[in-house]
C-alpha cells in the first residue's frame, strides 16, 4: 500500500484515539467537549474515506454542530466545568480499568476466532452512497422508520421543553388557582 | 484499507467510552462518553456497509444519529431539571431512590 495513504490513515486513527482519551481524562468539561468535536470531525473524515459523504456531512452538522452546541450551552449554564475528579469509592478506578481490559480482550478474541477472515474493503463505486441513493432508500424501503423518527424527535422536543420549564411558586399558572369562594357570614 | 483497521479503531473508541462512563463522575462527561460509544458503533456500521456494498448500514447510522440527538436533548433537559431541584449535578448526589 502507498506510504502516503498509510500515513493519512495512521494520523486519522491516532487523532480519533487521542481525542477520545483526552475526552475522558481532561479535568475541565469544556475541554472534554472540544475533544469530542475533534473526534467527531475525524470520524466524519473516515466516513468520507468509506464512501459515505451524506453520513459524513450529517455527522459534522448534527453531531459536531448542533449536539455539541447543546452540550457546551448546558455546561456553561450549569457551571459544571470543574466537578471533582477524586474517587469516593476506593479501588473503583483500578476495577474499571480491569473490566475494560477484559472487555477489550473479549473483542480481540472474538475477532481472532472468526472462522472466515475479513478481506480488505473493495473499491467503492462513485455513486455507492450518494445522497440520491440514500434518499431513494429512505423514502421507499425505510419510509415507516423515517416517519417514526419524526415522531421521536417531536416527543423529544416536547419532553425537553416540559422538563426544562420553570415551575416555581413565584409564577403560578393561570387557570389552576381555585376560584375565590365567597366568605359566608 | 483493511477491515481490521476500522474494527480495531471502533473497539478502542468503544472501550474508552465505557471507561469514561465507569470512571467519571461529571454527568456531562458521562453523556459525552455515551456519544463516543454511539460513534464507535456507527463507524462499524459504515465500514461494513462499504465492505458488503449494501446501503442499509448507512441508513441505520442515519437513524442512530436522529435518536442520539433526541436522547441528548431530553438528557440535558433532565440534567437542568435536576440541577434546579438539587443545586448540584454530581452523580453521587443523585441517590434519592436508594433505600
Amino acid at each position: 500500500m502507498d506510504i502516503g495513504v498509510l500515513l493519512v490513515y495512521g494520523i486519522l486513527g491516532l487523532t480519533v484515539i487521542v481525542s477520545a482519551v483526552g475526552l475522558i481524562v481532561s479535568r475541565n468539561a469544556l475541554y472534554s467537549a472540544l475533544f469530542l468535536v475533534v473526534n467527531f470531525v475525524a470520524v466524519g473524515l473516515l466516513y468520507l474515506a468509506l464512501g459515505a459523504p451524506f453520513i459524513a456531512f450529517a455527522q459534522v452538522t448534527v453531531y459536531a454542530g448542533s449536539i455539541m452546541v447543546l452540550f457546551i450551552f448546558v455546561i456553561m449554564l450549569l457551571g459544571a466545568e470543574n466537578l471533582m475528579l477524586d474517587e469516593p469509592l476506593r479501588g473503583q478506578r483500578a476495577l474499571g480499568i480491569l473490566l475494560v481490559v477484559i472487555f477489550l480482550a473479549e473483542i480481540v478474541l472474538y475477532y481472532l476466532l472468526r472462522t472466515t477472515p475479513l478481506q480488505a474493503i473493495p473499491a467503492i463505486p462513485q455513486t455507492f452512497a450518494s445522497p440520491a441513493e440514500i434518499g431513494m432508500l429512505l423514502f421507499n424501503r425505510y419510509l415507516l422508520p423515517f416517519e417514526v423518527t419524526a415522531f421521536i424527535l417531536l416527543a423529544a422536543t416536547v419532553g425537553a421543553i416540559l422538563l426544562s420549564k420553570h415551575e416555581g411558586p413565584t409564577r403560578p399558572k393561570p387557570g389552576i388557582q381555585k376560584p375565590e369562594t365567597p366568605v359566608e357570614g | 484499507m483493511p477491515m481490521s483497521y476500522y474494527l480495531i479503531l471502533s473497539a478502542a473508541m468503544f472501550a474508552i467510552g465505557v471507561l469514561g462512563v465507569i470512571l467519571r463522575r461529571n454527568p456531562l462527561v458521562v453523556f459525552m462518553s455515551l456519544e463516543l460509544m454511539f460513534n464507535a458503533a456507527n463507524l462499524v456500521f459504515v465500514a461494513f456497509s462499504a465492505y458488503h456494498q449494501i446501503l442499509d448500514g448507512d441508513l441505520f447510522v442515519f437513524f442512530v444519529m436522529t435518536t442520539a440527538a433526541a436522547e441528548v436533548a431530553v438528557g440535558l433537559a433532565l440534567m437542568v431539571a435536576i440541577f434546579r431541584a438539587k443545586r448540584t449535578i454530581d452523580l453521587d448526589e443523585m441517590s434519592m431512590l436508594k433505600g
Side-chain angles (χ1 to χ4, degrees):
Chain A
M1 191 173 287
D2 195 14
I3 188 77
V5 175
L6 272 185
L7 205 65
V8 168
Y9 276 101
I11 291 174
L12 219 51
L14 212 63
T15 310
V16 168
I17 299 296
V18 168
S19 59
V21 170
L23 158 68
I24 68 165
V25 299
S26 64
R27 295 186 162 272
N28 193 325
L30 264 182
Y31 293 158
S32 294
L34 294 178
F35 272 122
L36 193 55
V37 171
V38 172
N39 187 283
F40 281 151
V41 171
V43 174
L45 288 176
L46 281 178
Y47 291 163
L48 217 51
L50 281 167
F54 175 72
I55 298 297
F57 288 115
Q59 164 99 357
V60 171
T61 52
V62 175
Y63 265 129
S66 45
I67 288 184
M68 291 322 293
V69 165
L70 211 57
F71 262 113
I72 291 174
F73 181 76
V74 170
I75 289 170
M76 292 189 151
L77 178 72
L78 302 186
E81 291 97 337
N82 294 308
L83 284 184
M84 56 164 189
L85 260 178
D86 57 334
E87 44 177 358
L89 295 173
R90 209 146 47 83
Q92 187 201 10
R93 195 160 291 176
L95 195 64
I97 290 174
L98 179 71
L99 284 175
V100 167
V101 166
I102 292 173
F103 175 70
L104 260 183
E106 270 181 23
I107 294 178
V108 171
L109 218 61
Y110 176 73
Y111 180 63
L112 290 180
L113 294 181
R114 281 176 60 95
T115 48
T116 52
L118 286 167
Q119 274 93 38
I121 294 176
I124 299 152
Q126 198 70 45
T127 58
F128 168 55
S130 65
E133 294 282 320
I134 296 227
M136 284 301 287
L137 205 56
L138 202 59
F139 283 99
N140 285 316
R141 198 192 309 168
Y142 287 97
L143 185 60
L144 183 63
F146 184 71
E147 298 291 341
V148 170
T149 305
F151 272 104
I152 289 175
L153 285 177
L154 177 67
T157 313
V158 174
I161 292 171
L162 197 71
L163 280 172
S164 54
K165 203 169 63 176
H166 196 268
E167 287 184 49
T170 50
R171 254 190 287 166
K173 279 190 209 163
I176 289 193
Q177 300 113 314
K178 276 186 189 170
E180 283 180 28
T181 48
V183 182
E184 288 178 23
Chain B
M1 212 53 195
M3 197 61 199
S4 49
Y5 171 79
Y6 294 103
L7 290 183
I8 290 169
L9 203 61
S10 167
M13 260 170 80
F14 195 91
I16 293 169
V18 171
L19 206 58
V21 170
I22 292 177
L23 294 187
R24 293 302 301 263
R25 324 207 70 78
N26 188 337
L28 288 156
V29 178
V30 170
F31 243 113
M32 290 183 220
S33 303
L34 280 178
E35 295 303 315
L36 200 65
M37 286 151 77
F38 269 123
N39 231 12
N42 284 352
L43 183 60
V44 173
F45 265 123
V46 174
F48 271 107
S49 174
Y51 182 71
H52 292 295
Q53 306 273 321
I54 299 173
L55 213 49
D56 298 47
D58 287 2
L59 264 294
F60 211 96
V61 170
F62 177 75
F63 291 126
V64 169
M65 264 182 203
T66 44
T67 313
E71 171 247 339
V72 165
V74 174
L76 290 178
L78 268 175
M79 227 161 270
V80 172
I82 290 172
F83 182 77
R84 281 227 185 89
K86 299 178 79 83
R87 287 284 128 200
T88 174
I89 55 165
D90 195 328
L91 277 181
D92 286 336
E93 304 292 323
M94 300 182 197
S95 55
M96 276 174 74
L97 286 178
K98 200 161 83 176

